[in-house]
């Protein structure tokens, strides 16, 4: 294949030389950092002869070429004076405004928590339904336990977020959990709630509640990244095992409880003061503002700052006119927007998430699943729901809508708007709800959103195309076969479990993957080292029988530049079964934020009748792993 032609077509289709900030390559793909990804038509790139696929990951536009990627890379370099820096951070994200960037970070951090949030939201719906129809008493132990199941995910959301934010900011999740754990530790919560001034080494600690919080955790994760880098530089190598984590905790904890944590609380408190001042002067202005911006208030966890004031109002004069009233159109608008997305989307996963979260918001007023799984993530539904909620809030303010019972506003609990003394208040609540639901649904449908089904994101196209059982190997009727042994001790799994379309879709060839338990790779065959990438993370071997094998240690580990890898062979070396190829530090690679799952591929699979693999079992070096049917 003439890669000079392929390279020219690639550069043309990705927006020309001027749209390329940098380019590097790994064992299988070209990795471009583009100035503006939005101008690239993925379909046109995929149609280029010699291109196997396209992937967007880690801020890079990755074009899958295959074994000949180095040839294509050389031709690409001839077309422009490109930087080959893997650390080039210039991308289309720089053209986003600050609000979009913040929403991207929040939705990215929240996406992994969706199963827990959706599950807990549906449990809360169940509790509301059972108590409403009289099958469950709110004084029973069953009610208490089910409520705990529904509430725990939200109260301990900061701890759950530690997992996803650690990955997003590439920090140690365990030390970060230790820091965030202080903010929800019972004794610390009790200390803040005692009513007396609290200080740490003479510095004041602001009284705040961190249950349900999101933004403080994300901000702290960002700060933690710099703390870890600084401490790593100042601690001597011989003390890193014990001194480094201790210093990180001692530095990060005060920052968390004295600066970062209270910051969100103070913002919410200031917002509360402003909103209630506006309410006193013009309720018809306060309510639409509160209703429209309620998703952003909930996102900070600061809607709870309004709760004490709401409870006081319900005690005297007996009704509340701001927080719970504003939450009615906001909750329903979020649910209606998610419902519109579920009906309009062609993406199966999004339809499931959106439909479940819409039920949670509409019936129980639990909006976190809808917010973090749908509206914030896809942005346009958020705008639609905020506009509709604001309009409904305007109506509620004009008619001076009141709420008489403290409960999360939703369709099931809307009876809380019934006036014990009799009035048209409940009718006005129904009208407010109708405006929010119909308006948000219609606006979301009209404005639309970027449906993942149309974006063709490779990361969402991972399918389970290969699941060969051990019995298949035993029953295979063959005349000739080649055996590839296990190069790394660990657990063998299907390629479909690899979070990279190049491997999961078998673009580079059939085989299996190994989740390593030992950082040593040995030769699985007798043959010759046909390729050893300079970053040492990938090894190509040509067996004596002509089978071409690729061992790719980890995902995206090319970015490590050889760090944590030690090669014991070089290209052209002859190897025998069991010869040491590469040593790698599993834990260090994980700490850098990379997966260590290792695909083992037969890259010339098309030359054979079939390639069968032993998966879902613990394997040791030189155990039988792959059988090639000649």
């Amino acid at each position: 294949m003439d890669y000079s032609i392929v390279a020219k077509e690639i550069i043309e289709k990705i927006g020309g030389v001027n749209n390329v900030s940098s380019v590097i390559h790994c064992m299988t793909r070209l990795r471009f950092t583009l100035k503006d990804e939005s101008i690239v038509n993925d379909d046109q790139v995929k149609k280029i002869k010699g291109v196997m696929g396209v992937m967007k990951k880690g801020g890079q536009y990755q074009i899958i070429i295959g074994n000949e990627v180095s040839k294509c890379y050389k031709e690409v370099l001839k077309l422009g004076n490109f930087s080959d820096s893997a650390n080039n951070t210039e991308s289309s994200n720089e053209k986003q405004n600050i609000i979009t960037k913040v929403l991207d970070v929040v939705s990215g951090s929240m996406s992994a928590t969706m199963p827990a949030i959706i599950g807990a939201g549906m449990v809360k719906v169940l509790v509301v339904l059972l108590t409403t129809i009289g099958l469950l008493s709110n004084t029973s132990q069953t009610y208490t336990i089910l409520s705990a199941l529904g509430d725990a995910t939200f109260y301990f959301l900061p701890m759950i977020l530690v997992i996803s934010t650690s990955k997003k900011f590439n920090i140690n999740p365990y030390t970060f959990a230790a820091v965030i754990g202080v903010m929800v530790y019972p004794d610390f919560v009790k200390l803040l709630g005692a009513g007396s001034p609290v200080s740490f080494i003479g510095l004041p600690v602001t009284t705040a509640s961190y249950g349900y919080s999101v933004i403080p955790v994300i901000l702290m994760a960002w700060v933690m990244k710099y703390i870890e880098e600084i401490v790593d530089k100042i601690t001597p190598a011989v003390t890193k095992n014990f001194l480094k984590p201790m210093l990180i905790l001692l530095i990060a904890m005060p920052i968390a409880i004295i600066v970062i944590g209270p910051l969100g609380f103070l913002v919410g408190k200031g917002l509360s003061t402003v909103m209630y001042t506006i309410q006193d002067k013009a309720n018809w202005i306060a309510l639409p503002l509160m209703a429209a911006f309620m998703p952003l208030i909930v996102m900070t966890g600061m809607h709870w700052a309004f709760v004490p004031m709401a409870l006081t109002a319900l005690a005297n004069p007996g009704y509340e006119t701001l927080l719970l009233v504003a939450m009615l159109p906001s909750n329903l608008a979020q649910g209606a927007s998610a419902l519109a997305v579920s009906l309009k989307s062609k993406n199966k996963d999004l339809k499931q998430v959106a439909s479940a979260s819409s039920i949670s918001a509409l019936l129980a007023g639990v909006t976190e699943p809808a917010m973090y799984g749908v509206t914030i993530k896809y942005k346009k539904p958020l705008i639609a729901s905020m506009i509709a909620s604001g309009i409904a809030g305007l109506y509620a303010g004009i008619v001076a809508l009141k709420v008489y019972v403290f409960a999360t506003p939703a369709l099931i609990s809307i009876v809380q708007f019934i006036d014990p003394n009799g009035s048209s208040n409940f009718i006005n609540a129904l009208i407010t709800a109708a405006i929010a639901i119909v308006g948000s649904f219609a606006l979301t449908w009209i404005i639309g959103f970027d449906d993942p089904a149309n974006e063709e994101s490779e990361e969402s196209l991972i399918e389970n195309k290969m699941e060969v059982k051990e019995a298949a190997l035993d029953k295979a009727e063959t005349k000739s076969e080649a055996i590839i042994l296990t190069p790394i001790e660990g657990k063998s799994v299907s390629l479909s479990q690899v979070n990279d379309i190049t491997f999961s879709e078998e673009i580079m060839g059939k085989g299996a993957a190994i989740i390593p338990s030992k950082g040593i790779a040995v030769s699985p065959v007798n043959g010759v080292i046909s390729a050893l990438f300079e970053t040492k993370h990938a090894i190509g071997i040509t067996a004596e029988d002509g089978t071409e094998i690729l061992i790719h240690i980890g995902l995206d580990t090319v970015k490590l530049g050889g760090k944590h890898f030690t090669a014991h062979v070089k290209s052209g070396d002859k190897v025998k079964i069991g010869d040491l190829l590469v040593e790698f530090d599993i834990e260090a690679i994980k700490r850098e934020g990379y997966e260590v799952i290792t695909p083992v591929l037969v890259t010339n699979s098309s030359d054979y009748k079939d390639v069968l693999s032993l998966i879902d079992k613990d394997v040791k070096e030189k155990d039988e792993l792959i059988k090639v049917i000649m």
Side-chain angles (χ1 to χ4, degrees):
M1 182 173 292
D2 189 345
Y3 282 102
S4 63
I5 297 176
V6 176
K8 289 179 181 178
E9 287 191 58
I10 288 174
I11 294 299
E12 177 185 351
K13 300 301 182 185
I14 62 175
V17 172
N18 293 331
N19 196 37
V20 178
S21 295
S22 67
V23 59
I24 58 174
H25 79 96
C26 60
M27 284 291 289
T28 61
R29 66 192 77 177
L30 298 169
R31 295 167 175 256
F32 290 94
T33 299
L34 302 180
K35 297 176 181 178
D36 187 359
E37 280 188 5
S38 65
I39 66 174
V40 182
N41 187 315
D42 295 347
D43 286 334
Q44 292 182 4
V45 176
K46 292 175 184 177
K47 291 178 181 178
I48 298 174
K49 186 177 180 180
V51 172
M52 295 181 176
V54 169
M55 187 173 186
K56 300 174 184 177
K57 192 173 183 180
Q60 294 179 332
Y61 193 90
Q62 303 175 9
I63 300 178
I64 304 165
I65 302 296
N67 290 335
E68 302 293 322
V69 65
S70 60
K71 295 180 180 179
C72 189
Y73 175 72
K74 291 178 181 178
E75 296 300 329
V76 167
L77 292 182
K78 293 177 182 178
L79 300 176
N81 185 24
F82 303 130
S83 164
D84 63 353
S85 171
N87 298 318
N88 192 306
T89 58
E90 183 181 2
S91 69
S92 59
N93 287 337
E94 293 187 356
K95 297 185 178 181
Q96 297 175 331
N97 58 51
I98 187 64
I99 295 177
T100 300
K101 288 182 180 180
V102 170
L103 293 180
D104 284 340
V105 171
V106 173
S107 62
S109 299
M110 292 301 303
S111 59
T113 69
M114 292 314 301
I117 290 179
I118 291 175
M122 295 309 295
V123 169
K124 291 171 74 71
V125 170
L126 177 64
V127 171
V128 172
L129 285 172
L130 292 177
T131 53
T132 300
I133 62 180
L135 292 180
L136 182 66
S137 170
N138 58 12
T139 59
S140 69
Q141 294 177 342
T142 300
Y143 174 87
T144 301
I145 294 173
L146 283 176
S147 296
L149 179 61
D151 291 335
T153 293
F154 298 102
Y155 183 80
F156 291 107
L157 187 57
M159 294 303 298
I160 296 174
L161 274 171
V162 164
I163 302 171
S164 58
T165 52
S166 295
K167 291 181 179 179
K168 192 163 189 68
F169 289 95
N170 195 21
I171 59 177
N172 187 298
Y174 304 106
T175 51
F176 187 43
V179 173
I180 298 301
V182 173
M183 301 170 75
V184 291
Y185 186 67
D187 286 352
F188 179 71
V189 174
K190 183 179 179 180
L191 181 66
L192 293 183
S196 302
V198 179
S199 65
F200 178 75
I201 57 173
L203 298 173
V205 178
T206 303
T207 299
S209 176
Y210 298 111
Y212 298 79
S213 295
V214 172
I215 299 301
V217 181
I218 295 175
L219 286 175
M220 194 60 214
W222 174 64
V223 173
M224 195 78 168
K225 180 177 178 67
Y226 294 99
I227 293 175
E228 286 189 354
E229 291 176 355
I230 294 171
V231 173
D232 185 62
K233 290 179 180 178
I234 65 174
T235 50
V238 295
T239 66
K240 286 189 185 296
N241 285 340
F242 62 92
L243 185 59
K244 178 182 174 180
M246 182 184 74
L247 289 177
I248 288 174
L249 293 180
L250 289 176
I251 295 171
M253 185 274 292
I255 294 176
I257 66 173
I258 295 173
V259 182
I260 300 299
L263 180 62
F265 178 80
L266 293 175
V267 170
K269 187 175 181 180
L271 178 63
S272 171
T273 301
V274 171
M275 293 305 297
Y276 276 103
T277 299
I278 295 175
Q279 184 193 19
D280 289 338
K281 304 297 181 180
N283 191 40
W284 63 274
I285 294 178
L287 266 173
L289 288 176
M290 185 79 162
F293 290 99
M294 184 59 68
L296 305 184
I297 297 172
V298 171
M299 186 173 68
T300 64
M302 287 304 107
H303 54 301
W304 299 105
F306 294 85
V307 171
M309 291 172 280
L311 292 173
T312 300
L314 288 170
N316 183 25
Y319 55 84
E320 200 266 339
T321 59
L322 184 59
L323 174 65
L324 297 177
V325 174
M327 289 181 73
L328 175 67
S330 179
N331 291 353
L332 297 181
Q334 289 286 318
S337 183
L339 180 61
V341 171
S342 72
L343 294 176
K344 191 171 185 178
S345 176
K346 296 179 181 179
N347 182 279
K348 182 179 179 181
D349 292 336
L350 178 56
K351 288 177 77 73
Q352 291 177 345
V353 170
S355 60
S357 59
S358 69
I359 294 172
S360 176
L362 290 170
L363 296 184
V366 180
T367 58
E368 282 86 352
M371 283 173 51
Y372 298 121
V374 182
T375 59
I376 288 178
K377 186 173 183 178
Y378 296 98
K379 301 178 185 64
K380 290 180 181 179
L382 175 65
I383 295 172
S385 64
M386 290 176 68
I387 293 173
S389 180
I391 294 172
L394 177 61
Y395 176 82
I398 292 174
V399 299
L401 188 64
K402 301 178 180 65
V403 62
Y404 298 89
V405 177
F406 189 90
T408 303
L411 292 179
I412 290 178
S413 58
I414 200 168
V415 292
Q416 69 192 120
F417 288 88
I418 296 177
D419 186 352
N421 300 317
S423 70
S424 60
N425 194 74
F426 184 62
I427 300 299
N428 287 328
L430 293 177
I431 295 173
T432 300
I435 295 173
I437 292 173
V438 175
S440 183
F441 185 95
L443 283 173
T444 301
W445 194 275
I446 295 170
I447 295 175
F449 52 93
D450 297 325
D451 195 339
N454 298 323
E455 292 175 354
E456 296 184 11
S457 171
E458 264 74 6
E459 292 180 82
S460 67
L461 293 176
I462 298 174
E463 300 174 1
N464 189 5
K465 284 189 172 182
M466 175 183 170
E467 196 155 311
V468 182
K469 302 299 182 181
E470 184 174 354
L473 291 174
D474 299 330
K475 296 179 181 179
E477 297 181 2
T478 63
K479 293 182 179 179
S480 180
E481 61 188 31
I483 302 298
I484 298 172
L485 304 181
T486 302
I488 299 173
E489 184 176 318
K491 182 178 181 180
S492 63
V493 296
S494 167
L495 286 176
S496 64
Q497 296 190 34
V498 181
N499 188 26
D500 189 317
I501 191 173
T502 306
F503 306 115
S504 63
E505 293 288 343
E506 300 177 354
I507 293 174
M508 286 297 300
K510 296 182 178 181
I514 298 173
I515 300 173
S517 59
K518 190 176 180 181
I520 295 176
V522 301
S523 178
V525 295
N526 295 327
V528 177
I529 302 297
S530 55
L532 177 64
F533 202 62
E534 60 183 14
T535 53
K536 309 163 194 172
H537 74 290
I539 311 102
I541 305 174
T542 301
E544 291 177 344
D545 57 21
T547 307
E548 297 176 2
I549 303 157
L550 172 65
I551 304 170
H552 195 287
I553 303 171
L555 304 182
D556 278 341
T557 44
V558 63
K559 295 179 181 178
L560 291 172
K563 187 178 179 183
H564 309 311
F565 291 88
T566 302
H568 293 272
V569 293
K570 61 182 182 298
S571 184
D573 284 355
K574 291 183 179 181
V575 291
K576 295 182 179 180
I577 292 174
D579 284 354
L580 179 60
L581 302 178
V582 173
E583 290 182 282
F584 55 99
D585 190 330
I586 295 176
E587 295 305 317
I589 294 171
K590 287 181 178 179
R591 284 196 298 270
E592 297 276 4
Y594 298 94
E595 296 182 54
V596 293
I597 188 169
T598 299
V600 180
L601 309 178
V602 176
T603 55
N604 59 339
S605 299
S606 59
D607 294 343
Y608 304 106
K609 292 181 179 179
D610 205 353
V611 176
L612 306 175
S613 304
L614 286 170
I615 60 173
D616 295 327
K617 62 180 295 185
D618 293 329
V619 291
K620 294 183 179 180
E621 296 171 7
K622 298 187 286 185
D623 282 353
E624 186 174 311
L625 180 67
I626 299 171
K627 182 177 290 187
V628 179
I629 312 301
M630 302 296 189

